[in-house]
Amino acid sequence: MQKIISAIVADIGKVLLGKEHQVKLALACLLSRGHLLIEDLPGMGKTTLAHALAQVLGLSYKRVQFTSDMLPADILGVSIFERDSGEFRFHEGPVFSQLLLADEINRSSPKTQSALLEAMEERQVSIDGETRRLPEPFFVIATQNPLHQSGTFALPESQLDRFLMRISLGYPTREAERALFQGVDPRAQLQRLKPRVDIAALQKMQGLVGQVKASDSLLDYVERLVLHTRQSPECAVGLSPRGALALLHAARAWALIHGRGHLLPEDIQAVLPTVAGHRLQGEGGDGSQLVERLMHQVDVIAA
Amino acid sequence: MESSERLPRESLLWIFAAQFAALLPQFAILPLWIVGAWGFAVYWRLEVFRGRRDLPGRQVKLLAVLLSVAGLALSYRQWFALEPMVALLAVSFTLKNLELANRRDAFLSLLLSYFVAATLFVFEQTIPYAVYGVACVLIITAALAAQMGSHSAGPRRALGLSVRLLAQAVPLMVVLFIAAPRLGPLWAVPQNSDGASTGISDSMSPGDFSELSQSDDPALRIAFDGPVPPPEQRYWRGLVYSDFDGRRWSQGTGVDHREGGRVYWRASGRALPEVGPRYRYRVIQEATNSPWLFAMARPDSTTDGVGETADDRLLKRKPVYSRFAYEVRSWPRETFSDVAPLTDFERRRNLQLPPGGNERTRRWAASFRDSGLDAEGISRRILQFYNRSFVYTLKPPALGGDTVDEFLFGTQQGFCEHFAGSYVFAMRAAGVPARVVAGYQGGEWVAQEEYLLVRQYDAHAWAEIWTRERGWQRVDPTAAVSPERIREGLQRAAADEFMQDSLLPLHRISFLKQLRLEWDMINYRWYRAVIGFDSEQQEDVLQQLLGEISPLRLAILLLLPLAAVLLGVLVWLWWSGRGRRAPLSSRLYRRFCRRLARAGLERRPGETPRDFARRVREQRPQLGPMAARITAAFEKAAYGDDPAAEKQLRRLLNRFQLSKIK
C-alpha cells in the first residue's frame, strides 16, 4: 500500500520535477474524493499534473478548455436526434470521464460554471429529465489563472467551497529546472507512464481514508483552529462546518499517504493552507496569510 | 434634518425621562417659568422629531437665551447665590434640548443630568431625597445605556443594565465614602438668606411661642456622652433678650456678633473651670437660617466655626442653613466659684425699661424693693403671686397697650413668654438685673437610639436674674404656674389645647406617634452615619480601621478591596475557564516543554511536537534522542490512543531531569 503510493508519487515526479508536495496534495485530494482547484500562471505544469495523475491511476482523462461562449451542454452532453434509429440519443459530454481537467474555469459564464460545479457536487447530471450517474471515481481538476482577470467570471466564494483544496504549483527550484532542461521531454515521459493501480484498488484506498483514526486530542486541535477562525477579528468569515469536515478528511488522506493509521497535527497543518486558504476571508481578501498566522497562533497542544 | 434623525425615538424619550427625573424636585424650588421653558423645549424637540419643525435657528436660540437670562434676573435679584446658580444650570440644561441633534448631544445632556440631579442635595439631604437621588441616577444611567441602540432601549433591558452597573459601583462608592478626603468648600456660594427662619427668632412678642407650639417638627437631636441631665435641667439656651420696648423683647444693640458683640471663637478664648464638664453631648440642629445654637449653660464647643458669647450662648459664624452638628461640653453655673462683677454697661442694659407704661407693675415692684427685700426675696414674692391665681394656657386673651399690667392684674392667663416677660419686667422695676432667655426646654428621650428629641413645641422662654453672690441664675416663672410643663413637657401641661389647630389630630393616635418616632430615629441614624460623616468622623473611622492614619495604611485600605475584587474576578475566570481539563498526555507533554523552555528551547504555539523535536535535535544534539523518544511516546498517547504510551511518557519524563539538560 505504502509502496504503491510511493511509486505513484515517484512516477509523477518524473514528469513534474521537484513538486513532490503538490503531487501528494493532489493525490490526497483525490483519495478523499474531493476536487482540486489549481491557481497558477500558464505553463507551470497544471495540465501535466492532471494528465500524469490520470495516467498513473489508470483513469479516463478529458480536458476542457473553458471559454466565455461555452454552454452547459458543451460539458454535460446533449441529446441528438438520430435519423437512422429515429430517436434521440444522448451524447455524453466531457464530464463523463474519471478525471476531468477544466482549464481556466473562470473564463466561462457563471451558468456553465455552475453546471460543472453541480455535477461535481452531486456526481450525477440531469438532462432531459433523465438522471445519469457520472463514472466512479470522479475527479475534477479545475485551473484558474490568477492574473489577467479581464473578461473572466471569478468563482464566487460559495463555488470555491466546492473544491476540497486549492493549490498553486509555483516555479520549480533551480535544480528541478536544470534537470528539466537536461532531461527528456516531459511529454514523452508522460506517454510512457503506466498505471500503477486499477480502479478497484483506487476505490479501496479511498475507503481506507475514512478509517484513519482521529484522537480526542487531535479533534481538540481542529476545534481550536476552527474556533479561532470564527472568533479572531482578523477573519471576516470563519471556517464552516463543511470546511472543518473537509480539513479532517483531507488530513486523513494525507496521513494515509504517509502510512499512518491515525492523524497527527502535522497532517492537519500540511493540508490546512490548501483546504482553508480559499475558504477564509480576511481584511485583505486572501486567506493564505491568514492561514499562516492561524497555524502560528493556535497551540497544537491543549492547555 | 438629517442630523436630527440620528436620534431615534426611544433615545429621545429616554433623554426626556432622565431630564424630568433630574428636574422634578427642582421644579418645587425654582421659579415656575422654568418648568414652562422645559416643557416648551421638549415640545419643540418632539415636533422636530415628527418632522413638523426644524431645529431652531441661531436667532431663535439667541432669543431663548436672552429671555431666560432676563427671567433669571427678574426672578433673582442677586446673582452670586446658590439658587440663581442652580436655576441657571437648570435653564441651560433645558435649552440644550433645542439643539439636541446627534448622539454626542444626547451624551452631553445626560451627563449634565447627573450634575443637575446632584444639585438637589444642596437643598435637601434627607432620606426621601437620597432615595430619589438614587432613583434619578438609575434612570439617567438607563437612558445612557439606551443610547446604544434600539436593541438596548427596551425599558427592562436598559434599567436592568443600569441596576447592574450601579450595583457594581456600590463597593467603590463605599470605599470612596469612607476614604475620600472631606475637603472644605473651595468657594463659598452664599445660600439664600431670605428664607424665613424657623424656630425661635431674635425677638419675642406676645404670641410668638404659642405659634411655635403648633409645630411638632424636630428642632434638635441631642446625644449624650455620659450622664443625661434630668428633665428639670434640660434648658437649651439659644437667645438672650435684654431689650424691652414695652411690647417686644429683643437682643438689643451690640449683642449680636454681627454688630460687634464679643464672641470667643476659639476654645482657649475663655478660661474654663478646672473640674471637668458635667455634660458632654452632640447636638444635631435642624436648619434655622439663623446663627444661634442651643446648649445648656455654661457651654463650650470645640467644633469649628462655633463660638461662645459673653452671655453663655453658642453661636455659629454662618447661619445654620442645613442640618448642623456640634459638640458641646457644659458646666453648671455653680462650678464657677468666682463671680465676676457686673459691668456698668451690663447693669444698665439688664435694668433697662421703656420710659413709660405699665405703671402699676412698676409701683408694685417698687414696693417690694422699698420693703427691704433682697433679690431672691423679691423673686420669691413674684413667683408666689404667679402661683396663686395664674393660669397656664396656650390661648391667652389678647393684650392691649400696657401688656405687663394687663397680664399681671387683668387677664392672668398666659404662656411662657408672658410669664418670663412680666417677671423680668417686674424684677427690673424692683432694681434687680434680669433678662429673658429663649430656647427649648425638655425633649423626648428616645430610648432605643439614646438621644433626646427636642421639637419646635418645646420652645420656651424663661428668665435669668443676677445676684452679687451667685451671679446669673435661672428662674423659670412658668414652673411656678405649671410645674408639669417643665417636668413632662407641653403636651401634658396643656393637654386640651395642645396642637388643637392642627388639621388632623394625629398626635392623639399613639400608633402614629410611635411611627413618627421610629421615622425620626431612622432620620437620626441617617444623619449621624451619612450626612454628618465629616472629616472628624472620617478620621475616627479610619483610626479604628487602620490604627494609625498614614499614607501607607490609607493606600492599603484603598487597594485592599480593589485587590480582593480583582482576585475574585481572577478566581472566577480561572474557575469558569477551567472547563474541561486538558488530557493527561497533553499535560505531561507541556511539562516537558516547560523544562525545555527553562533550558532556552521554547516551543512555539503552532509548532507540532515532531517539528519541535527536530529543532531540539538541531539546536541541542545531545537532547535529540530523548526528545525524539518523548515525542514519539506523546504522539502515540495523544493521537494513537495508546494507554500504555501514557505510562511510558510519564516514565520518560521522570527520567528526563532538568539537570541533564545543562
Side-chain angles (χ1 to χ4, degrees):
Chain A
M1 169 74 203
Q2 184 62 29
K3 241 182 257 168
I4 299 170
I5 289 171
S6 309
I8 291 170
V9 173
D11 277 358
I12 301 173
K14 277 184 214 156
V15 285
L16 199 66
L17 296 167
K19 294 283 168 219
E20 196 183 333
H21 187 69
Q22 281 83 346
V23 171
K24 278 182 182 169
L25 280 172
L27 198 59
C29 189
L30 196 150
L31 287 182
S32 46
R33 296 178 211 262
H35 304 287
L36 183 68
L37 178 68
I38 305 179
E39 214 172 62
D40 221 324
L41 299 170
M44 305 296 269
K46 290 175 294 212
T47 317
T48 314
L49 173 64
H51 204 162
L53 264 175
Q55 285 279 61
V56 173
L57 298 175
L59 301 172
S60 65
Y61 169 72
K62 268 180 196 145
R63 176 184 163 169
V64 187
Q65 177 66 44
F66 275 53
T67 57
S68 54
D69 56 357
M70 245 179 137
L71 292 174
D74 294 332
I75 299 171
L76 305 180
V78 65
S79 291
I80 293 171
F81 182 75
E82 287 195 341
R83 197 176 290 179
D84 298 351
S85 54
E87 55 190 18
F88 282 95
R89 210 173 77 87
F90 182 69
H91 287 251
E92 289 181 346
V95 80
F96 289 89
S97 64
Q98 285 164 327
L99 199 159
L100 173 72
L101 177 64
D103 230 350
E104 297 199 78
I105 188 169
N106 55 340
R107 290 223 169 273
S108 76
S109 62
K111 197 177 175 182
T112 315
Q113 285 174 6
S114 74
L116 172 66
L117 293 163
E118 210 174 307
M120 281 160 57
E121 184 70 17
E122 312 288 334
R123 288 168 192 276
Q124 63 186 23
V125 284
S126 300
I127 299 155
D128 300 338
E130 202 179 326
T131 303
R132 292 164 204 273
R133 289 209 60 81
L134 295 176
E136 270 298 320
F138 176 63
F139 184 49
V140 174
I141 298 180
T143 73
Q144 201 168 213
N145 188 344
L147 296 176
H148 316 298
Q149 293 287 324
S150 64
T152 65
F153 304 91
L155 288 174
E157 286 81 24
S158 57
Q159 309 276 41
L160 283 176
D161 201 36
R162 301 278 167 85
F163 291 97
L164 180 69
M165 289 185 186
R166 182 186 69 175
I167 65 171
S168 68
L169 294 172
Y171 294 110
T173 57
R174 250 181 77 192
E175 294 81 34
E177 198 146 34
R178 176 58 67 92
L180 185 67
F181 295 159
Q182 291 168 339
V184 201
D185 179 19
R187 267 164 223 270
Q189 287 272 19
L190 204 53
Q191 300 307 321
R192 258 180 264 152
L193 287 179
K194 291 278 174 304
R196 289 282 179 178
V197 285
D198 55 2
I199 302 297
L202 188 64
Q203 280 176 335
K204 198 180 147 221
M205 275 159 76
Q206 283 180 335
L208 283 175
V209 169
Q211 289 172 20
V212 173
K213 271 183 260 164
S215 71
D216 282 343
S217 295
L218 187 110
L219 292 179
D220 278 350
Y221 176 50
V222 175
E223 219 171 81
R224 281 198 298 279
L225 281 171
V226 171
L227 222 65
H228 189 269
T229 66
R230 291 172 193 169
Q231 289 172 349
S232 163
E234 286 180 339
C235 304
V237 177
L239 218 53
S240 65
R242 176 156 68 179
L245 273 177
L247 175 65
L248 262 175
H249 216 66
R252 281 195 163 107
W254 185 266
L256 187 74
I257 289 173
H258 290 83
R260 276 193 293 275
H262 54 85
L263 278 173
L264 286 184
E266 274 86 353
D267 302 325
I268 300 287
Q269 289 193 351
V271 298
L272 185 66
T274 57
V275 175
H278 59 294
R279 289 185 161 98
L280 287 182
Q281 271 181 348
E283 303 293 306
D286 195 81
S288 307
Q289 294 105 338
L290 246 141
V291 174
E292 278 300 307
R293 274 204 295 282
L294 176 69
M295 280 208 295
H296 283 117
Q297 282 167 0
V298 177
D299 203 327
V300 177
I301 313 293
Chain B
M1 274 310 292
E2 296 162 37
S3 57
S4 70
E5 279 160 3
R6 277 185 216 154
L7 277 183
R9 192 173 67 104
E10 294 86 359
S11 182
L12 267 183
L13 291 180
W14 268 111
I15 292 171
F16 292 147
Q19 285 183 350
F20 183 72
L23 283 173
L24 186 62
Q26 312 275 8
F27 286 159
I29 302 164
L30 302 178
L32 209 62
W33 62 267
I34 293 183
V35 186
W38 183 74
F40 172 72
V42 167
Y43 166 74
W44 189 307
R45 186 60 186 80
L46 283 176
E47 289 284 288
V48 172
F49 173 74
R50 290 158 142 200
R52 297 191 189 168
R53 241 175 251 272
D54 269 342
L55 280 174
R58 183 174 299 183
Q59 275 149 8
V60 177
K61 279 194 264 185
L62 199 66
L63 187 71
V65 169
L66 285 178
L67 275 178
S68 17
V69 169
L72 285 178
L74 280 177
S75 303
Y76 300 96
R77 289 294 137 83
Q78 53 174 14
W79 269 109
F80 290 98
L82 204 59
E83 278 192 29
M85 288 298 158
V86 172
L88 184 66
L89 180 67
V91 167
S92 45
F93 178 56
T94 288
L95 291 182
K96 185 70 195 161
N97 280 336
L98 289 182
E99 43 181 34
L100 204 61
N102 47 36
R103 187 176 277 186
R104 188 183 152 276
D105 296 322
F107 279 127
L108 188 77
S109 179
L110 287 174
L111 293 179
L112 208 57
S113 306
Y114 283 114
F115 199 76
V116 172
T119 56
L120 171 65
F121 296 112
V122 171
F123 301 109
E124 293 285 353
Q125 301 165 354
T126 52
I127 297 176
Y129 280 93
V131 170
Y132 186 80
V134 170
C136 245
V137 169
L138 201 70
I139 293 174
I140 298 170
T141 310
L144 267 180
Q147 301 303 313
M148 287 306 151
S150 57
H151 179 56
S152 55
R156 181 181 282 229
R157 207 181 155 81
L159 280 172
L161 182 63
S162 173
V163 166
R164 251 176 296 146
L165 284 174
L166 290 184
Q168 283 163 4
V170 164
L172 189 67
M173 185 187 82
V174 170
V175 169
L176 286 179
F177 177 78
I178 293 174
R182 292 289 194 278
L183 296 175
L186 296 178
W187 71 94
V189 182
Q191 232 156 343
N192 191 4
S193 43
D194 308 340
S197 47
T198 56
I200 293 160
S201 70
D202 61 350
S203 70
M204 174 181 92
S205 44
D208 283 358
F209 278 72
S210 43
E211 222 169 84
L212 279 178
S213 72
Q214 300 297 330
S215 161
D216 58 354
D217 289 339
L220 310 172
R221 294 184 181 87
I222 305 163
F224 293 89
D225 179 16
V228 180
E232 59 271 17
Q233 291 293 328
R234 294 173 189 161
Y235 280 90
W236 312 103
R237 305 170 80 253
L239 281 151
V240 169
Y241 304 131
S242 306
D243 194 80
F244 186 53
D245 67 352
R247 183 166 184 87
R248 224 164 59 97
W249 284 92
S250 61
Q251 294 201 83
T253 51
V255 175
D256 201 283
H257 68 291
R258 289 167 294 195
E259 296 172 7
R262 183 85 205 265
V263 178
Y264 303 91
W265 290 114
R266 279 192 295 174
S268 56
R270 249 177 144 191
L272 293 172
E274 307 208 334
V275 291
R278 184 169 295 173
Y279 302 115
R280 294 165 183 275
Y281 47 97
R282 181 181 167 87
V283 183
I284 298 170
Q285 182 172 331
E286 295 293 315
T288 58
N289 295 333
S290 41
W292 25 89
L293 308 178
F294 297 87
M296 287 189 291
R298 219 194 89 179
D300 176 71
S301 175
T302 50
T303 306
D304 271 348
V306 175
E308 194 188 328
T309 63
D311 49 14
D312 299 340
R313 295 178 298 126
L314 290 181
L315 270 186
K316 188 168 180 286
R317 205 184 285 268
K318 296 230 179 74
V320 183
Y321 288 130
S322 59
R323 259 186 210 169
F324 177 65
Y326 45 100
E327 308 282 344
V328 190
R329 296 179 291 170
S330 281
W331 286 266
R333 289 220 172 90
E334 305 91 80
T335 42
F336 294 81
S337 46
D338 51 332
V339 175
L342 214 56
T343 60
D344 271 359
F345 174 72
E346 283 285 302
R347 176 176 288 277
R348 256 200 327 263
R349 174 198 284 282
N350 289 305
L351 283 173
Q352 174 268 344
L353 284 176
N358 297 314
E359 297 304 328
R360 197 174 164 194
T361 310
R362 287 178 202 246
R363 279 199 305 278
W364 178 64
S367 71
F368 293 136
R369 184 186 54 195
D370 296 341
S371 59
L373 286 168
D374 62 349
E376 298 192 353
I378 298 171
S379 168
R380 232 179 342 264
R381 278 292 188 75
I382 297 176
L383 292 181
Q384 274 167 11
F385 178 61
Y386 284 137
N387 198 6
R388 214 172 299 147
S389 55
F390 280 69
V391 177
Y392 181 80
T393 174
L394 292 179
K395 300 241 156 131
L399 298 174
D402 284 344
T403 51
V404 181
D405 272 8
E406 280 177 42
F407 171 66
L408 283 179
F409 306 111
T411 64
Q412 301 203 331
Q413 295 180 27
F415 194 49
C416 60
E417 65 201 57
H418 300 93
F419 292 103
S422 57
Y423 173 83
V424 171
F425 186 94
M427 287 306 278
R428 285 184 176 186
V432 180
R435 61 195 183 188
V436 176
V437 181
Y440 296 95
Q441 196 280 325
E444 188 175 356
W445 180 248
V446 183
Q448 286 112 307
E449 287 288 318
E450 306 226 305
Y451 70 99
L452 193 68
L453 173 61
V454 179
R455 299 180 189 273
Q456 289 298 355
Y457 62 61
D458 290 316
H460 190 53
W462 61 95
E464 280 178 356
I465 58 170
W466 192 84
T467 58
R468 186 161 298 129
E469 303 80 39
R470 297 169 58 189
W472 286 108
Q473 50 178 306
R474 186 181 65 232
V475 178
D476 190 349
T478 311
V481 183
S482 171
E484 57 270 25
R485 162 69 184 88
I486 307 308
R487 276 199 316 273
E488 294 168 46
L490 181 70
Q491 199 167 351
R492 192 62 62 83
D496 297 338
E497 292 169 332
F498 179 70
M499 304 269 291
Q500 212 173 30
D501 291 343
S502 58
L503 224 53
L504 293 166
L506 291 178
H507 61 279
R508 290 178 205 274
I509 306 169
S510 65
F511 167 71
L512 285 179
K513 237 185 95 189
Q514 188 58 35
L515 219 61
R516 283 186 68 121
L517 204 62
E518 293 281 345
W519 176 237
D520 195 77
M521 280 192 281
I522 294 169
N523 262 309
Y524 172 73
R525 219 176 302 166
W526 164 256
Y527 184 79
R528 291 224 346 185
V530 181
I531 311 288
F533 192 80
D534 53 8
S535 53
E536 232 170 275
Q537 287 206 5
Q538 183 181 37
E539 234 166 78
D540 287 350
V541 167
L542 289 179
Q543 204 119 38
Q544 272 184 9
L545 276 175
L546 307 173
E548 166 206 357
I549 300 175
S550 66
L552 177 71
R553 293 188 177 207
L554 215 58
I556 290 175
L557 174 74
L558 280 175
L559 292 180
L560 217 61
L562 196 69
V565 168
L566 286 181
L567 205 72
V569 171
L570 196 71
V571 166
W572 181 77
L573 280 181
W574 174 76
W575 188 260
S576 58
R578 209 175 46 120
R580 212 174 38 186
R581 282 186 83 185
L584 178 66
S585 53
S586 294
R587 277 178 283 145
L588 288 171
Y589 185 73
R590 279 198 172 268
R591 198 186 298 167
F592 164 70
C593 292
R594 276 198 296 276
R595 284 181 190 170
L596 281 179
R598 261 175 270 153
L601 279 165
E602 195 159 358
R603 188 180 68 85
R604 291 186 281 269
E607 203 169 20
T608 61
R610 215 171 264 205
D611 290 345
F612 183 49
R614 200 170 302 130
R615 198 154 63 87
V616 169
R617 197 180 62 222
E618 282 163 14
Q619 295 182 358
R620 298 283 183 86
Q622 75 274 20
L623 292 176
M626 196 64 187
R629 283 168 73 186
I630 287 176
T631 302
F634 167 69
E635 279 186 345
K636 242 188 252 166
Y639 305 115
D641 282 334
D642 185 353
E646 221 158 64
K647 283 180 196 143
Q648 190 197 354
L649 179 63
R650 195 192 282 276
R651 240 188 350 264
L652 283 167
L653 265 177
N654 288 342
R655 246 191 290 162
F656 181 78
Q657 292 301 331
L658 195 60
S659 55
K660 289 186 183 169
I661 298 174
K662 285 174 180 167

